[in-house]
């Protein structure tokens, strides 16, 4: 009896199940089951791997378990030239775009290479993956393709095999697929691009070759996530997306639409893509939604880097263009901003008379609150690390202006002052919440991004000149900052009970209530919201003040940067599960919880008509946040939470026109002032989808706990023990 495709897949899974799912000797798994990107103290940098680790042989050895199901062993039948092409990707050099394969030698810029010589292995494999197949109706009976069919004619393209199955189906009088199907050649299956719709294609009757009477095959537990994956029913019609991963037809349609809309949002300057528009809603006034926002571009940049094959050109151009804008003089009225401040946004203007393009830059002077964006510089450093990790473009990192740009940002944050805390003092409206919402002081979102950016900069700074001094200052700051956040921002049932019993008016170093927080200031909702299992980082801690609100961005970034301990990260995910209706509701995800209402809303927001209760920043639901939640869930080993949230969003997000945010306590209604076709809502969905389907993408946006920091933790004094 001939070997069926199902037998081949099952045999392949059994062979791959015992292997680690992601490449790299420095990659390990955390206690909670998530992916580990551990920083080896013996390494000078954990970003890149050595030449031996980056060899094509090693990269072909390991792949994610989900991807191994799709490897049809076509590599034995393809010529070596095709194999070489399938492993190629684009590396962008300073002046030109050059195709390079893994067989090429490392670049010769040794100054960065010596700093980054013993880093972790790139998670991106060059093994073959299937490309997008045509959609099949669910009631279609499909003939099986045996191993003999795949090996009988090594040089034959895939359409010949599928054509045979179509003939068999037609001979039996069975249904075939829809008339519009794209021919997929063997070159396209192993890594080429699927032709765009506007290109000339040949339409034939084809089908997906799966056994008619195949039984459901349960996927075994994946050690990278520590949970069981869903049952894969081979009788259900499915097709493959551009990355070679199984998706339902409905989901595939939504992903295709998302990529198409994302590509249409590209902004070009002098013929090169430099960013994406904030939104493409033609039914409303543009306001500043026709500009490129630094923080908004981050999910778009990650989507382009995670795509197979990656499209890093726009990310590189964006990094360099915003770095150039950093050097401009920044004035608000008669005051000059710090040299390291990055813009909140920029816009391309075209002068038809002079036939010249110029950039209109906003450093906060045009913002609602006239506040400079503190988070722009942090997001820029984080995205730079993701780009270097994905492309290994050492030349960009080695450029003096890039190194100097990071130092200018760090100077703003590490300068000496009157601070008694390692946290960063900020004004209201300095981050994603860019309106008055009571986050002035030391908001958790800024502190988590600050910590994340410091650790990324530590990896990428060269020790030459004053780089060593910056690295030493970073090490001292992140040690103190991690202790401060883990100790004073953390809230769970036990800590809430301790704060409830605080004494006040304590003096000297023996004080337990160090910030003199009045227990009566604890809002009533916290006692009902806090479950016995779970916890989170509260929004703000300053003298005599604790903001007990939940802020999703700060908590998820704290997990990704390992600002919280593994136990605290697990507790945050426990809280999300326990309070699903409050934090997720009918449309993910609440940016903050709960909403400010009544007299408190009037005092804190100043009667802000856009931030009414359960709307916009005041308890609104933002689909863009899907990518942050998904990344945090995968790292903690709870991808089922992310998958559930994504499926919830897929029910309405595309049908509602990809809105910016949703209103209502459960996120049921499209926001009253929400722009449609919001770019980061689209990109956030794509990034979340790609990370869930290929968890190795997490390594681009995640850091493992620094053992050196953990060992040097400050010890709480006896007076502060509970």
């Amino acid at each position: 009896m001939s070997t069926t495709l199902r037998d081949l897949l099952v045999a392949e899974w059994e062979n791959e199940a015992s292997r680690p799912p992601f490449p790299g000797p420095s990659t390990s798994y955390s206690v909670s089951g998530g992916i580990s990107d551990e920083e080896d103290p013996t390494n000078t940098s954990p970003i890149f791997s050595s030449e031996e680790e980056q060899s094509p042989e090693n990269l072909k050895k390991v792949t994610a378990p989900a991807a191994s199901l799709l490897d049809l062993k076509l590599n034995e039948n393809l010529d070596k030239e095709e194999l070489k092409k399938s492993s190629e990707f684009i590396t962008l050099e300073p002046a030109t775009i050059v195709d390079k394969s893994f067989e090429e030698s490392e670049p010769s810029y040794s100054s960065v290479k010596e700093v980054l010589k013993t880093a972790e292995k790139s998670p991106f494999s060059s093994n073959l993956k299937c490309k997008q197949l045509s959609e099949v109706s669910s009631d279609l009976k499909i003939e099986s393709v045996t191993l003999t069919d795949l090996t009988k004619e090594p040089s034959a393209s895939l359409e010949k095999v599928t054509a045979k199955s179509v003939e068999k189906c037609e001979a039996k009088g069975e249904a075939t697929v829809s008339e519009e199907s794209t021919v997929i050649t063997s070159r396209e299956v192993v890594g080429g691009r699927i032709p765009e719709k506007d290109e000339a294609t040949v339409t034939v009757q084809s089908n997906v070759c799966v056994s008619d009477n195949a039984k459901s095959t349960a996927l075994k537990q994946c050690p990278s996530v520590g949970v069981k994956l869903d049952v894969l029913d081979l009788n259900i019609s499915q097709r493959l997306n551009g990355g070679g991963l199984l998706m339902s037809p409905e989901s595939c349609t939504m992903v295709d639409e998302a990529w198409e809309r994302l590509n249409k949002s590209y902004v070009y300057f002098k013929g090169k893509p430099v960013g994406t528009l904030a939104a493409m809603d033609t039914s409303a006034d543009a306001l500043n939604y026709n500009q490129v926002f630094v923080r908004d571009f981050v999910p778009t940049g990650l989507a382009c880097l995670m795509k197979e094959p990656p499209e890093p050109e726009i990310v590189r151009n964006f990094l360099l263009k915003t770095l150039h804008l950093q050097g401009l003089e920044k004035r608000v009225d008669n005051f000059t901003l710090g040299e390291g401040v990055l813009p909140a946004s920029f816009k391309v203007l075209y002068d038809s008379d002079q036939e010249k393009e110029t950039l209109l830059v906003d450093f906060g002077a045009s913002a609602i609150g006239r506040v400079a964006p503190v988070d722009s510089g942090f997001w820029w450093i984080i995205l730079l690390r993701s780009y270097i990790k994905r492309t290994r473009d050492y030349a960009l990192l080695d450029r003096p202006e890039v190194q100097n740009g990071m130092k200018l940002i760090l100077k703003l944050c590490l300068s000496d002052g009157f601070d008694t805390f390692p946290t960063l003092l900020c004004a209201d409206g300095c981050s994603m919440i860019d309106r008055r919402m009571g986050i002035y002081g030391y908001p958790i979102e800024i502190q988590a991004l600050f910590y994340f950016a410091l650790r990324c900069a530590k990896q990428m700074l060269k020790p030459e000149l004053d780089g060593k001094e910056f690295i030493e200052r970073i090490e001292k700051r992140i040690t103190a900052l991690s202790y401060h956040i883990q100790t004073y921002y953390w809230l769970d049932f036990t800590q809430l009970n301790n704060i409830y019993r605080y004494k006040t008016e304590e003096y000297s170093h023996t004080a337990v209530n160090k910030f003199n927080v009045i227990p009566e200031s604890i809002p009533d909702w916290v006692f009902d919201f806090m479950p016995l299992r779970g916890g989170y980082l509260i929004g703000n801690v300053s003298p005599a003040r604790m903001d007990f609100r939940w802020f999703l961005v700060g908590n998820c970034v704290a997990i990704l940067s390992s600002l919280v301990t593994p136990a605290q990260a697990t507790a945050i995910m426990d809280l999300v599960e326990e309070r699903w209706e409050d934090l997720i509701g009918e449309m993910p995800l609440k940016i903050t919880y709960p909403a400010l209402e009544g007299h408190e809303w009037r005092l804190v927001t100043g009667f802000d008509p856009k931030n009414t209760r359960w709307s916009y920043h005041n308890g609104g639901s933002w689909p863009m946040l899907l990518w942050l939640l998904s990344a945090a869930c995968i790292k903690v080993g709870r991808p089922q939470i992310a998958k559930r949230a994504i499926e919830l969003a897929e029910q309405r997000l595309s049908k509602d026109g990809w809105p910016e945010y949703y209103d209502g306590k459960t996120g049921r209604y499209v926001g009253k002032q929400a722009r449609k076709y919001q770019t980061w809502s689209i990109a956030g969905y794509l990034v979340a989808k790609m990370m869930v389907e290929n968890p190795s993408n997490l390594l681009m946006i995640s850091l493992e706990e620094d053992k050196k920091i953990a060992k040097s933790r400050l010890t709480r004094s006896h007076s502060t023990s509970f």
Side-chain angles (χ1 to χ4, degrees), residues 271-302:
K272 296 181 179 180
V274 293
T276 51
L277 296 174
M280 297 171 290
D281 190 350
T282 57
S283 64
D285 294 337
L287 298 179
N288 60 349
Y289 285 87
N290 60 354
Q291 300 184 21
V292 179
F293 281 82
V294 173
R295 76 173 66 92
D296 291 32
F297 179 77
V298 172
T300 296
L302 293 175

Side-chain angles (χ1 to χ4, degrees), residues 159-405:
E159 64 266 25
K160 293 183 179 180
V161 179
T162 57
K164 293 179 181 179
S165 295
V166 172
E167 293 174 359
K168 293 179 182 179
C169 289
E170 292 176 344
K172 295 180 181 180
E174 296 172 348
T176 59
V177 295
S178 60
E179 296 180 0
E180 293 294 328
S181 300
T182 303
V183 176
I184 310 297
T185 65
S186 60
R187 171 68 184 96
E188 292 166 335
V189 169
V190 299
R193 289 177 175 270
I194 301 300
E196 297 294 335
K197 293 182 179 179
D198 56 342
E199 294 179 1
T201 57
V202 181
T203 57
V204 297
Q205 298 290 337
S206 64
N207 57 9
V208 181
C209 305
V210 183
S211 175
D212 177 40
N213 57 356
K215 298 180 180 179
S216 298
T217 304
L219 298 179
K220 296 184 179 180
Q221 183 171 344
C222 174
S224 65
V225 294
V227 296
K228 272 190 175 182
L229 299 177
D230 288 344
V231 172
L232 173 64
D233 187 354
L234 296 180
N235 282 321
I236 298 178
S237 64
Q238 293 172 315
R239 72 180 189 178
L240 304 172
N241 70 351
L245 298 167
L246 284 171
M247 300 172 62
S248 65
E250 296 80 5
S251 178
C252 240
T253 302
M254 188 170 172
V255 169
D256 292 341
E257 179 198 352
W259 279 117
E260 183 178 355
R261 294 193 179 278
L262 186 64
N263 291 333
K264 289 181 179 179
S265 71
Y266 280 20
V267 173
Y268 292 82
F269 181 69
K270 296 183 178 179
K272 296 181 179 180
V274 293
T276 51
L277 296 174
M280 297 171 290
D281 190 350
T282 57
S283 64
D285 294 337
L287 298 179
N288 60 349
Y289 285 87
N290 60 354
Q291 300 184 21
V292 179
F293 281 82
V294 173
R295 76 173 66 92
D296 291 32
F297 179 77
V298 172
T300 296
L302 293 175
C304 293
L305 293 175
M306 293 179 183
K307 190 176 183 180
E308 290 293 347
E311 297 179 356
E313 179 188 6
I314 187 173
V315 183
R316 187 179 196 274
N317 294 339
F318 169 83
L319 292 169
L320 291 176
K321 182 53 62 179
T322 50
L323 184 64
H324 170 73
L325 298 176
Q326 182 192 44
L328 300 179
E329 183 181 15
K330 300 169 276 288
R331 296 180 64 87
V332 178
D333 294 333
N334 294 322
F335 183 74
T336 302
L337 279 68
E339 190 179 0
V341 175
L342 260 69
S345 63
F346 62 88
K347 180 181 179 180
V348 178
L349 298 177
Y350 180 73
D351 188 342
S352 57
D353 295 333
Q354 299 182 7
E355 297 184 352
K356 181 181 179 182
E357 290 181 336
T358 58
L359 291 176
L360 179 65
V361 189
D362 177 26
F363 290 95
S366 300
I368 294 296
R370 302 301 187 267
V371 178
V374 177
D375 62 338
S376 289
F378 300 151
W379 280 122
W380 186 89
I381 293 176
I382 294 167
L383 183 61
L384 174 64
R385 174 189 175 269
S386 299
Y387 170 81
I388 298 297
K389 190 174 180 66
R390 176 56 155 143
T391 64
R392 299 189 309 240
D393 188 359
Y394 304 154
L396 179 71
L397 188 60
D398 201 21
R399 292 172 66 164
E401 61 267 31
V402 174
Q403 291 288 315
N404 186 57

Side-chain angles (χ1 to χ4, degrees), residues 391-431:
T391 64
R392 299 189 309 240
D393 188 359
Y394 304 154
L396 179 71
L397 188 60
D398 201 21
R399 292 172 66 164
E401 61 267 31
V402 174
Q403 291 288 315
N404 186 57
M406 285 191 288
K407 293 174 184 177
L408 290 176
I409 296 172
L410 296 175
K411 281 182 180 180
L412 293 173
C413 311
L414 299 177
S415 58
D416 296 329
F418 293 98
D419 298 311
T420 56
F421 313 131
T423 44
L424 204 60
L425 182 62
C426 303
D428 229 338
C430 66
S431 60

Side-chain angles (χ1 to χ4, degrees), residues 645-657:
I646 292 172
E647 291 174 347
L648 194 62
E650 287 177 335
Q651 296 177 12
R652 291 187 53 190
L653 192 54
S654 176
K655 296 177 182 178
D656 291 339

